[in-house]
Amino acid sequence: MRKIDVIVGARPNFMKAAALFVVAPDYPGLALRVIHTGQHYDVNMSHLFLQELGLPEPHRHLQVGSGSHAYQTATIMMRYEECVEEDRPGCCVVVGDVNSTVACALVASKLGIPVAHIEAGLRSFDRTMPEEINRVLTDSISDLMFVTESSGLENLKREGRPESGIHLVGNTMIDTLLRLLPKAEELAPWDRFAVRPDDYVYITLHRPSNVDEKTIAGEICEQIISIASRWPVVFLVHPRTRRRLDKYGLDRKLSEQPNLHLSEPLGYMDSLSLMRRAKLVITDSGGIQEESTILGIPCLTLRENTERPITVEQGTNTIIGRNWALLKSCLQQIEEGSYLKRASDIPLWDGNSGERILQILTDQL
Ligand code: UD1
């Protein structure tokens, strides 16, 4: 039996990794185990997700916590190296683009352990984003690259990665969404905000480029307040964002708006249910651009670019950046019903990506 370390650390990793564990019993030659770096540690950023998604208890927890990029990456590396030296896996599977991803890939690669990267090849071409650096570095040392959309294939080929290691398998985050949507649809998370389904705006923001600087965060809050004068808003506030809003006094300003509900981050099921019945989504998250595309919910992305172009080409996503005229025009289209509002059928985003990945691992390791 081959031991496979599946690395998780930050919130968006859990749903992507969970898809492997669901199908793992069909692949008895692979012994999958969760290694949790502890990059995210709040109950509603981590533990709740493990429970809801049915991920097994972590085999090892590296307890890294928060810190600068260098501190976090280096500490994960040292702690994961110890783990690997004690109990060497036959493969290290990393997902997404967070610091935990690049840190563990680097450790495994230097110790001669094959690295498999789920969600390989995505590129925003914006090196000011820490995730872009993590993506490029991780792919350059991965042996197997599992790709979600065709842009990823082109990027990896252009970067000279060997074609034999590149596999278009679809999207494991969508596997989890399709698996849990029926259960999420039984919930009514909007009740706690006293808003009606299909009649509110779902907002999440956490990118340093949006929340770290006072003037930019303030400008975005003005837009949110203006939207709240039109429709009820539910804003799920990431811990990073919460700190900045507090620091800049923006939380008070937002809380004064009667139609604007600020909430702690929700668990996966409540958040999915809330997104499913939103009138529209405003976000800077990568994953939510994809989830809203599959759910057919209009998505306005407050970023200058996206590493997931298929969500714009085939889905409901528009890249707004801080072009407030464009935001206004999209809101108008949504109000009039002329904005695209249907689920997109993206090749291989069919709920079976986890299975494809374990089959390839079985065949190739
Ligand atoms: C990380 C990922 C980002 C991903 C995001 C999802 C990197 C470089 N960034 O960003 O790609 O989209 O996760 O959430 O890996 N904090 C808590 N509790 C927690 C976790 C964080 O309070 O459980 C606070 C801490 O103040 C911390 C800050 O949030 O310093 C940022 O956390 P960190 O993991 O460094 O980055 P994220 O912004 O969450």
Side-chain angles (χ1 to χ4, degrees), residues 78-126:
M78 291 191 294
R79 295 189 186 167
Y80 183 51
E81 187 179 53
E82 278 171 21
C83 259
V84 166
E85 276 167 354
E86 269 171 36
D87 188 2
R88 188 180 166 92
C91 177
C92 171
V93 176
V94 295
V95 300
D97 54 17
V98 303
N99 288 342
S100 304
T101 310
V102 68
C104 293
L106 205 45
V107 169
S109 164
K110 289 204 171 180
L111 293 172
I113 296 162
V115 175
H117 183 203
I118 297 182
E119 206 184 82
L122 296 181
R123 296 288 179 267
S124 66
F125 305 102
D126 173 2

mmCIF file of all heavy atoms in Angstrom, residues 78-126:
data_model
loop_
_atom_site.group_PDB
_atom_site.id
_atom_site.type_symbol
_atom_site.label_atom_id
_atom_site.label_comp_id
_atom_site.label_asym_id
_atom_site.label_seq_id
_atom_site.Cartn_x
_atom_site.Cartn_y
_atom_site.Cartn_z
ATOM 1 N N MET A 78 9.824 23.160 7.962
ATOM 2 C CA MET A 78 10.606 22.440 8.989
ATOM 3 C C MET A 78 9.765 21.349 9.637
ATOM 4 O O MET A 78 10.223 20.228 9.840
ATOM 5 C CB MET A 78 11.114 23.422 10.036
ATOM 6 C CG MET A 78 12.181 24.336 9.468
ATOM 7 S SD MET A 78 13.018 25.297 10.719
ATOM 8 C CE MET A 78 11.727 26.338 11.303
ATOM 9 N N ARG A 79 8.509 21.671 9.924
ATOM 10 C CA ARG A 79 7.669 20.690 10.630
ATOM 11 C C ARG A 79 7.260 19.541 9.701
ATOM 12 O O ARG A 79 7.186 18.395 10.130
ATOM 13 C CB ARG A 79 6.447 21.376 11.239
ATOM 14 C CG ARG A 79 6.893 22.339 12.318
ATOM 15 C CD ARG A 79 5.769 22.904 13.129
ATOM 16 N NE ARG A 79 6.324 23.917 14.030
ATOM 17 C CZ ARG A 79 5.612 24.785 14.716
ATOM 18 N NH1 ARG A 79 4.292 24.771 14.632
ATOM 19 N NH2 ARG A 79 6.189 25.672 15.501
ATOM 20 N N TYR A 80 7.008 19.863 8.450
ATOM 21 C CA TYR A 80 6.619 18.770 7.536
ATOM 22 C C TYR A 80 7.831 17.875 7.251
ATOM 23 O O TYR A 80 7.697 16.654 7.135
ATOM 24 C CB TYR A 80 6.010 19.329 6.237
ATOM 25 C CG TYR A 80 5.537 18.226 5.312
ATOM 26 C CD1 TYR A 80 4.694 17.214 5.788
ATOM 27 C CD2 TYR A 80 5.950 18.155 3.992
ATOM 28 C CE1 TYR A 80 4.274 16.172 4.958
ATOM 29 C CE2 TYR A 80 5.534 17.124 3.151
ATOM 30 C CZ TYR A 80 4.704 16.142 3.646
ATOM 31 O OH TYR A 80 4.293 15.107 2.827
ATOM 32 N N GLU A 81 8.999 18.474 7.190
ATOM 33 C CA GLU A 81 10.203 17.667 6.945
ATOM 34 C C GLU A 81 10.385 16.623 8.060
ATOM 35 O O GLU A 81 10.696 15.457 7.791
ATOM 36 C CB GLU A 81 11.431 18.570 6.853
ATOM 37 C CG GLU A 81 12.684 17.826 6.440
ATOM 38 C CD GLU A 81 13.885 18.752 6.337
ATOM 39 O OE1 GLU A 81 14.168 19.478 7.321
ATOM 40 O OE2 GLU A 81 14.518 18.765 5.288
ATOM 41 N N GLU A 82 10.141 17.058 9.301
ATOM 42 C CA GLU A 82 10.245 16.107 10.430
ATOM 43 C C GLU A 82 9.274 14.946 10.253
ATOM 44 O O GLU A 82 9.616 13.784 10.463
ATOM 45 C CB GLU A 82 9.911 16.806 11.753
ATOM 46 C CG GLU A 82 11.060 17.585 12.333
ATOM 47 C CD GLU A 82 10.613 18.449 13.522
ATOM 48 O OE1 GLU A 82 9.555 18.154 14.120
ATOM 49 O OE2 GLU A 82 11.334 19.422 13.812
ATOM 50 N N CYS A 83 8.047 15.306 9.866
ATOM 51 C CA CYS A 83 7.006 14.285 9.644
ATOM 52 C C CYS A 83 7.448 13.259 8.616
ATOM 53 O O CYS A 83 7.312 12.063 8.793
ATOM 54 C CB CYS A 83 5.821 14.968 8.963
ATOM 55 S SG CYS A 83 4.486 15.397 9.888
ATOM 56 N N VAL A 84 7.971 13.780 7.507
ATOM 57 C CA VAL A 84 8.336 12.927 6.386
ATOM 58 C C VAL A 84 9.517 12.038 6.757
ATOM 59 O O VAL A 84 9.595 10.881 6.365
ATOM 60 C CB VAL A 84 8.678 13.829 5.168
ATOM 61 C CG1 VAL A 84 9.383 13.057 4.091
ATOM 62 C CG2 VAL A 84 7.417 14.472 4.636
ATOM 63 N N GLU A 85 10.421 12.582 7.558
ATOM 64 C CA GLU A 85 11.571 11.776 7.956
ATOM 65 C C GLU A 85 11.155 10.624 8.869
ATOM 66 O O GLU A 85 11.723 9.541 8.821
ATOM 67 C CB GLU A 85 12.652 12.656 8.582
ATOM 68 C CG GLU A 85 13.498 13.268 7.464
ATOM 69 C CD GLU A 85 14.401 14.394 7.915
ATOM 70 O OE1 GLU A 85 14.301 14.799 9.090
ATOM 71 O OE2 GLU A 85 15.189 14.862 7.074
ATOM 72 N N GLU A 86 10.120 10.884 9.684
ATOM 73 C CA GLU A 86 9.618 9.816 10.581
ATOM 74 C C GLU A 86 8.851 8.753 9.826
ATOM 75 O O GLU A 86 8.898 7.583 10.166
ATOM 76 C CB GLU A 86 8.631 10.434 11.592
ATOM 77 C CG GLU A 86 9.277 10.884 12.866
ATOM 78 C CD GLU A 86 8.275 11.675 13.699
ATOM 79 O OE1 GLU A 86 7.075 11.343 13.702
ATOM 80 O OE2 GLU A 86 8.723 12.649 14.330
ATOM 81 N N ASP A 87 8.084 9.182 8.842
ATOM 82 C CA ASP A 87 7.156 8.268 8.184
ATOM 83 C C ASP A 87 6.996 8.730 6.738
ATOM 84 O O ASP A 87 6.124 9.525 6.422
ATOM 85 C CB ASP A 87 5.808 8.340 8.946
ATOM 86 C CG ASP A 87 4.841 7.297 8.460
ATOM 87 O OD1 ASP A 87 5.205 6.498 7.583
ATOM 88 O OD2 ASP A 87 3.697 7.299 8.960
ATOM 89 N N ARG A 88 7.877 8.196 5.893
ATOM 90 C CA ARG A 88 7.982 8.713 4.529
ATOM 91 C C ARG A 88 6.788 8.283 3.662
ATOM 92 O O ARG A 88 6.510 7.079 3.547
ATOM 93 C CB ARG A 88 9.283 8.160 3.938
ATOM 94 C CG ARG A 88 9.668 8.729 2.618
ATOM 95 C CD ARG A 88 10.978 8.092 2.144
ATOM 96 N NE ARG A 88 11.193 8.390 0.749
ATOM 97 C CZ ARG A 88 11.891 9.436 0.312
ATOM 98 N NH1 ARG A 88 12.476 10.238 1.169
ATOM 99 N NH2 ARG A 88 12.020 9.652 -0.983
ATOM 100 N N PRO A 89 6.110 9.245 3.023
ATOM 101 C CA PRO A 89 5.009 8.865 2.120
ATOM 102 C C PRO A 89 5.533 8.511 0.734
ATOM 103 O O PRO A 89 6.656 8.865 0.373
ATOM 104 C CB PRO A 89 4.179 10.155 2.063
ATOM 105 C CG PRO A 89 5.189 11.249 2.221
ATOM 106 C CD PRO A 89 6.281 10.707 3.116
ATOM 107 N N GLY A 90 4.667 7.859 -0.053
ATOM 108 C CA GLY A 90 5.033 7.534 -1.437
ATOM 109 C C GLY A 90 4.693 8.666 -2.381
ATOM 110 O O GLY A 90 5.098 8.662 -3.548
ATOM 111 N N CYS A 91 3.936 9.632 -1.880
ATOM 112 C CA CYS A 91 3.566 10.783 -2.713
ATOM 113 C C CYS A 91 3.031 11.883 -1.806
ATOM 114 O O CYS A 91 2.429 11.591 -0.765
ATOM 115 C CB CYS A 91 2.490 10.363 -3.716
ATOM 116 S SG CYS A 91 1.870 11.707 -4.749
ATOM 117 N N CYS A 92 3.274 13.122 -2.202
ATOM 118 C CA CYS A 92 2.733 14.257 -1.451
ATOM 119 C C CYS A 92 1.771 14.989 -2.387
ATOM 120 O O CYS A 92 2.179 15.483 -3.444
ATOM 121 C CB CYS A 92 3.888 15.171 -1.039
ATOM 122 S SG CYS A 92 3.348 16.728 -0.332
ATOM 123 N N VAL A 93 0.497 15.029 -1.991
ATOM 124 C CA VAL A 93 -0.510 15.711 -2.806
ATOM 125 C C VAL A 93 -0.772 17.078 -2.196
ATOM 126 O O VAL A 93 -1.143 17.184 -1.022
ATOM 127 C CB VAL A 93 -1.830 14.905 -2.850
ATOM 128 C CG1 VAL A 93 -2.901 15.682 -3.616
ATOM 129 C CG2 VAL A 93 -1.606 13.540 -3.483
ATOM 130 N N VAL A 94 -0.561 18.123 -2.978
ATOM 131 C CA VAL A 94 -0.857 19.481 -2.504
ATOM 132 C C VAL A 94 -1.984 20.057 -3.352
ATOM 133 O O VAL A 94 -2.157 19.668 -4.510
ATOM 134 C CB VAL A 94 0.392 20.397 -2.561
ATOM 135 C CG1 VAL A 94 1.464 19.920 -1.598
ATOM 136 C CG2 VAL A 94 0.957 20.502 -3.977
ATOM 137 N N VAL A 95 -2.764 20.965 -2.755
ATOM 138 C CA VAL A 95 -3.905 21.528 -3.490
ATOM 139 C C VAL A 95 -3.835 23.058 -3.476
ATOM 140 O O VAL A 95 -3.358 23.657 -2.512
ATOM 141 C CB VAL A 95 -5.262 21.069 -2.894
ATOM 142 C CG1 VAL A 95 -5.393 19.569 -2.931
ATOM 143 C CG2 VAL A 95 -5.470 21.566 -1.482
ATOM 144 N N GLY A 96 -4.313 23.655 -4.555
ATOM 145 C CA GLY A 96 -4.494 25.107 -4.583
ATOM 146 C C GLY A 96 -3.195 25.878 -4.595
ATOM 147 O O GLY A 96 -2.188 25.437 -5.176
ATOM 148 N N ASP A 97 -3.194 27.031 -3.941
ATOM 149 C CA ASP A 97 -2.107 28.001 -4.122
ATOM 150 C C ASP A 97 -1.730 28.722 -2.839
ATOM 151 O O ASP A 97 -1.236 29.832 -2.872
ATOM 152 C CB ASP A 97 -2.536 29.028 -5.181
ATOM 153 C CG ASP A 97 -3.878 29.687 -4.834
ATOM 154 O OD1 ASP A 97 -4.293 29.593 -3.662
ATOM 155 O OD2 ASP A 97 -4.493 30.285 -5.734
ATOM 156 N N VAL A 98 -1.985 28.102 -1.694
ATOM 157 C CA VAL A 98 -1.699 28.814 -0.439
ATOM 158 C C VAL A 98 -0.269 28.517 0.024
ATOM 159 O O VAL A 98 0.433 27.699 -0.573
ATOM 160 C CB VAL A 98 -2.746 28.465 0.651
ATOM 161 C CG1 VAL A 98 -4.159 28.789 0.155
ATOM 162 C CG2 VAL A 98 -2.661 27.020 1.078
ATOM 163 N N ASN A 99 0.162 29.176 1.086
ATOM 164 C CA ASN A 99 1.535 28.982 1.543
ATOM 165 C C ASN A 99 1.813 27.522 1.907
ATOM 166 O O ASN A 99 2.917 27.008 1.689
ATOM 167 C CB ASN A 99 1.825 29.893 2.743
ATOM 168 C CG ASN A 99 1.943 31.351 2.313
ATOM 169 O OD1 ASN A 99 2.146 31.650 1.128
ATOM 170 N ND2 ASN A 99 1.814 32.274 3.269
ATOM 171 N N SER A 100 0.818 26.836 2.471
ATOM 172 C CA SER A 100 0.990 25.421 2.827
ATOM 173 C C SER A 100 1.303 24.570 1.592
ATOM 174 O O SER A 100 2.027 23.580 1.668
ATOM 175 C CB SER A 100 -0.296 24.885 3.468
ATOM 176 O OG SER A 100 -0.658 25.675 4.573
ATOM 177 N N THR A 101 0.737 24.966 0.454
ATOM 178 C CA THR A 101 0.907 24.213 -0.798
ATOM 179 C C THR A 101 2.376 24.220 -1.221
ATOM 180 O O THR A 101 2.990 23.173 -1.434
ATOM 181 C CB THR A 101 0.045 24.866 -1.920
ATOM 182 O OG1 THR A 101 -1.274 25.051 -1.434
ATOM 183 C CG2 THR A 101 0.060 24.056 -3.182
ATOM 184 N N VAL A 102 2.928 25.415 -1.338
ATOM 185 C CA VAL A 102 4.312 25.520 -1.835
ATOM 186 C C VAL A 102 5.292 24.965 -0.800
ATOM 187 O O VAL A 102 6.276 24.307 -1.148
ATOM 188 C CB VAL A 102 4.651 26.972 -2.250
ATOM 189 C CG1 VAL A 102 4.701 27.924 -1.076
ATOM 190 C CG2 VAL A 102 5.951 27.033 -3.026
ATOM 191 N N ALA A 103 5.001 25.185 0.483
ATOM 192 C CA ALA A 103 5.941 24.745 1.530
ATOM 193 C C ALA A 103 6.106 23.228 1.500
ATOM 194 O O ALA A 103 7.236 22.714 1.480
ATOM 195 C CB ALA A 103 5.437 25.208 2.904
ATOM 196 N N CYS A 104 5.006 22.505 1.472
ATOM 197 C CA CYS A 104 5.098 21.041 1.524
ATOM 198 C C CYS A 104 5.613 20.474 0.204
ATOM 199 O O CYS A 104 6.350 19.484 0.197
ATOM 200 C CB CYS A 104 3.752 20.437 1.915
ATOM 201 S SG CYS A 104 3.315 20.871 3.610
ATOM 202 N N ALA A 105 5.250 21.103 -0.910
ATOM 203 C CA ALA A 105 5.750 20.633 -2.207
ATOM 204 C C ALA A 105 7.278 20.715 -2.232
ATOM 205 O O ALA A 105 7.966 19.802 -2.695
ATOM 206 C CB ALA A 105 5.157 21.472 -3.332
ATOM 207 N N LEU A 106 7.797 21.793 -1.701
ATOM 208 C CA LEU A 106 9.249 22.003 -1.699
ATOM 209 C C LEU A 106 9.963 20.946 -0.836
ATOM 210 O O LEU A 106 10.977 20.378 -1.242
ATOM 211 C CB LEU A 106 9.510 23.412 -1.156
ATOM 212 C CG LEU A 106 10.769 24.151 -1.521
ATOM 213 C CD1 LEU A 106 11.097 24.046 -2.998
ATOM 214 C CD2 LEU A 106 10.598 25.638 -1.142
ATOM 215 N N VAL A 107 9.385 20.667 0.326
ATOM 216 C CA VAL A 107 9.992 19.654 1.212
ATOM 217 C C VAL A 107 10.006 18.297 0.517
ATOM 218 O O VAL A 107 11.044 17.626 0.448
ATOM 219 C CB VAL A 107 9.189 19.564 2.541
ATOM 220 C CG1 VAL A 107 9.621 18.354 3.354
ATOM 221 C CG2 VAL A 107 9.361 20.847 3.344
ATOM 222 N N ALA A 108 8.854 17.892 -0.016
ATOM 223 C CA ALA A 108 8.745 16.560 -0.620
ATOM 224 C C ALA A 108 9.699 16.460 -1.812
ATOM 225 O O ALA A 108 10.457 15.486 -1.946
ATOM 226 C CB ALA A 108 7.310 16.307 -1.050
ATOM 227 N N SER A 109 9.675 17.480 -2.638
ATOM 228 C CA SER A 109 10.486 17.439 -3.848
ATOM 229 C C SER A 109 11.974 17.258 -3.516
ATOM 230 O O SER A 109 12.674 16.454 -4.133
ATOM 231 C CB SER A 109 10.220 18.729 -4.611
ATOM 232 O OG SER A 109 11.178 18.937 -5.565
ATOM 233 N N LYS A 110 12.453 17.980 -2.505
ATOM 234 C CA LYS A 110 13.880 17.878 -2.155
ATOM 235 C C LYS A 110 14.230 16.531 -1.546
ATOM 236 O O LYS A 110 15.387 16.120 -1.544
ATOM 237 C CB LYS A 110 14.262 19.004 -1.201
ATOM 238 C CG LYS A 110 14.274 20.335 -1.924
ATOM 239 C CD LYS A 110 15.159 21.311 -1.235
ATOM 240 C CE LYS A 110 15.320 22.544 -2.094
ATOM 241 N NZ LYS A 110 16.188 23.524 -1.458
ATOM 242 N N LEU A 111 13.227 15.851 -0.974
ATOM 243 C CA LEU A 111 13.492 14.531 -0.395
ATOM 244 C C LEU A 111 13.206 13.414 -1.403
ATOM 245 O O LEU A 111 13.165 12.240 -1.050
ATOM 246 C CB LEU A 111 12.667 14.344 0.881
ATOM 247 C CG LEU A 111 13.079 15.259 2.046
ATOM 248 C CD1 LEU A 111 12.101 15.155 3.199
ATOM 249 C CD2 LEU A 111 14.492 14.937 2.515
ATOM 250 N N GLY A 112 12.961 13.807 -2.648
ATOM 251 C CA GLY A 112 12.771 12.804 -3.701
ATOM 252 C C GLY A 112 11.420 12.113 -3.653
ATOM 253 O O GLY A 112 11.259 11.004 -4.168
ATOM 254 N N ILE A 113 10.449 12.765 -3.022
ATOM 255 C CA ILE A 113 9.094 12.194 -2.960
ATOM 256 C C ILE A 113 8.266 12.823 -4.077
ATOM 257 O O ILE A 113 8.241 14.058 -4.199
ATOM 258 C CB ILE A 113 8.464 12.501 -1.574
ATOM 259 C CG1 ILE A 113 9.264 11.797 -0.488
ATOM 260 C CG2 ILE A 113 6.987 12.108 -1.537
ATOM 261 C CD1 ILE A 113 9.025 12.347 0.903
ATOM 262 N N PRO A 114 7.589 12.013 -4.890
ATOM 263 C CA PRO A 114 6.802 12.602 -5.970
ATOM 264 C C PRO A 114 5.760 13.583 -5.436
ATOM 265 O O PRO A 114 5.128 13.334 -4.422
ATOM 266 C CB PRO A 114 6.108 11.395 -6.619
ATOM 267 C CG PRO A 114 6.863 10.195 -6.162
ATOM 268 C CD PRO A 114 7.521 10.549 -4.862
ATOM 269 N N VAL A 115 5.618 14.708 -6.137
ATOM 270 C CA VAL A 115 4.648 15.730 -5.749
ATOM 271 C C VAL A 115 3.528 15.772 -6.786
ATOM 272 O O VAL A 115 3.802 15.809 -7.991
ATOM 273 C CB VAL A 115 5.320 17.127 -5.689
ATOM 274 C CG1 VAL A 115 4.286 18.228 -5.413
ATOM 275 C CG2 VAL A 115 6.415 17.153 -4.630
ATOM 276 N N ALA A 116 2.286 15.744 -6.306
ATOM 277 C CA ALA A 116 1.131 15.897 -7.203
ATOM 278 C C ALA A 116 0.406 17.174 -6.812
ATOM 279 O O ALA A 116 0.107 17.381 -5.635
ATOM 280 C CB ALA A 116 0.203 14.693 -7.069
ATOM 281 N N HIS A 117 0.139 18.026 -7.785
ATOM 282 C CA HIS A 117 -0.506 19.315 -7.500
ATOM 283 C C HIS A 117 -1.912 19.344 -8.103
ATOM 284 O O HIS A 117 -2.079 19.225 -9.319
ATOM 285 C CB HIS A 117 0.338 20.465 -8.082
ATOM 286 C CG HIS A 117 -0.221 21.818 -7.770
ATOM 287 N ND1 HIS A 117 0.040 22.929 -8.515
ATOM 288 C CD2 HIS A 117 -1.052 22.238 -6.773
ATOM 289 C CE1 HIS A 117 -0.588 23.972 -8.004
ATOM 290 N NE2 HIS A 117 -1.264 23.573 -6.933
ATOM 291 N N ILE A 118 -2.889 19.484 -7.233
ATOM 292 C CA ILE A 118 -4.286 19.609 -7.672
ATOM 293 C C ILE A 118 -4.600 21.086 -7.849
ATOM 294 O O ILE A 118 -4.349 21.883 -6.946
ATOM 295 C CB ILE A 118 -5.244 18.977 -6.633
ATOM 296 C CG1 ILE A 118 -4.968 17.484 -6.528
ATOM 297 C CG2 ILE A 118 -6.707 19.262 -6.980
ATOM 298 C CD1 ILE A 118 -5.879 16.732 -5.580
ATOM 299 N N GLU A 119 -5.144 21.436 -9.025
ATOM 300 C CA GLU A 119 -5.436 22.814 -9.432
ATOM 301 C C GLU A 119 -4.158 23.455 -9.983
ATOM 302 O O GLU A 119 -3.851 24.616 -9.744
ATOM 303 C CB GLU A 119 -5.973 23.630 -8.246
ATOM 304 C CG GLU A 119 -6.856 24.784 -8.653
ATOM 305 C CD GLU A 119 -7.280 25.634 -7.459
ATOM 306 O OE1 GLU A 119 -6.498 26.500 -7.017
ATOM 307 O OE2 GLU A 119 -8.386 25.415 -6.974
ATOM 308 N N ALA A 120 -3.425 22.649 -10.742
ATOM 309 C CA ALA A 120 -2.184 23.143 -11.343
ATOM 310 C C ALA A 120 -2.484 24.026 -12.556
ATOM 311 O O ALA A 120 -3.564 23.949 -13.140
ATOM 312 C CB ALA A 120 -1.331 21.946 -11.774
ATOM 313 N N GLY A 121 -1.508 24.852 -12.903
ATOM 314 C CA GLY A 121 -1.547 25.576 -14.178
ATOM 315 C C GLY A 121 -2.335 26.871 -14.200
ATOM 316 O O GLY A 121 -2.288 27.599 -15.187
ATOM 317 N N LEU A 122 -3.065 27.187 -13.133
ATOM 318 C CA LEU A 122 -3.826 28.448 -13.144
ATOM 319 C C LEU A 122 -2.845 29.615 -13.024
ATOM 320 O O LEU A 122 -1.905 29.556 -12.243
ATOM 321 C CB LEU A 122 -4.834 28.478 -11.995
ATOM 322 C CG LEU A 122 -5.938 27.420 -12.037
ATOM 323 C CD1 LEU A 122 -6.887 27.596 -10.849
ATOM 324 C CD2 LEU A 122 -6.714 27.489 -13.351
ATOM 325 N N ARG A 123 -3.064 30.646 -13.794
ATOM 326 C CA ARG A 123 -2.167 31.810 -13.753
ATOM 327 C C ARG A 123 -2.967 33.110 -13.859
ATOM 328 O O ARG A 123 -3.757 33.282 -14.789
ATOM 329 C CB ARG A 123 -1.188 31.788 -14.943
ATOM 330 C CG ARG A 123 -0.224 30.618 -14.960
ATOM 331 C CD ARG A 123 0.856 30.717 -13.889
ATOM 332 N NE ARG A 123 1.737 29.557 -13.956
ATOM 333 C CZ ARG A 123 1.565 28.436 -13.244
ATOM 334 N NH1 ARG A 123 0.569 28.322 -12.389
ATOM 335 N NH2 ARG A 123 2.402 27.431 -13.383
ATOM 336 N N SER A 124 -2.686 34.029 -12.927
ATOM 337 C CA SER A 124 -3.265 35.368 -13.035
ATOM 338 C C SER A 124 -2.288 36.290 -13.759
ATOM 339 O O SER A 124 -2.654 37.394 -14.148
ATOM 340 C CB SER A 124 -3.555 35.933 -11.641
ATOM 341 O OG SER A 124 -2.337 36.136 -10.945
ATOM 342 N N PHE A 125 -1.030 35.849 -13.892
ATOM 343 C CA PHE A 125 0.060 36.652 -14.473
ATOM 344 C C PHE A 125 0.287 37.925 -13.666
ATOM 345 O O PHE A 125 0.740 38.922 -14.192
ATOM 346 C CB PHE A 125 -0.212 36.958 -15.958
ATOM 347 C CG PHE A 125 -0.439 35.700 -16.750
ATOM 348 C CD1 PHE A 125 -1.720 35.295 -17.104
ATOM 349 C CD2 PHE A 125 0.635 34.879 -17.081
ATOM 350 C CE1 PHE A 125 -1.933 34.111 -17.783
ATOM 351 C CE2 PHE A 125 0.431 33.691 -17.766
ATOM 352 C CZ PHE A 125 -0.855 33.310 -18.119
ATOM 353 N N ASP A 126 -0.022 37.862 -12.397
ATOM 354 C CA ASP A 126 0.120 39.022 -11.519
ATOM 355 C C ASP A 126 0.981 38.602 -10.322
ATOM 356 O O ASP A 126 0.488 38.003 -9.373
ATOM 357 C CB ASP A 126 -1.286 39.465 -11.074
ATOM 358 C CG ASP A 126 -1.242 40.568 -10.029
ATOM 359 O OD1 ASP A 126 -0.138 41.025 -9.675
ATOM 360 O OD2 ASP A 126 -2.334 40.976 -9.573
#
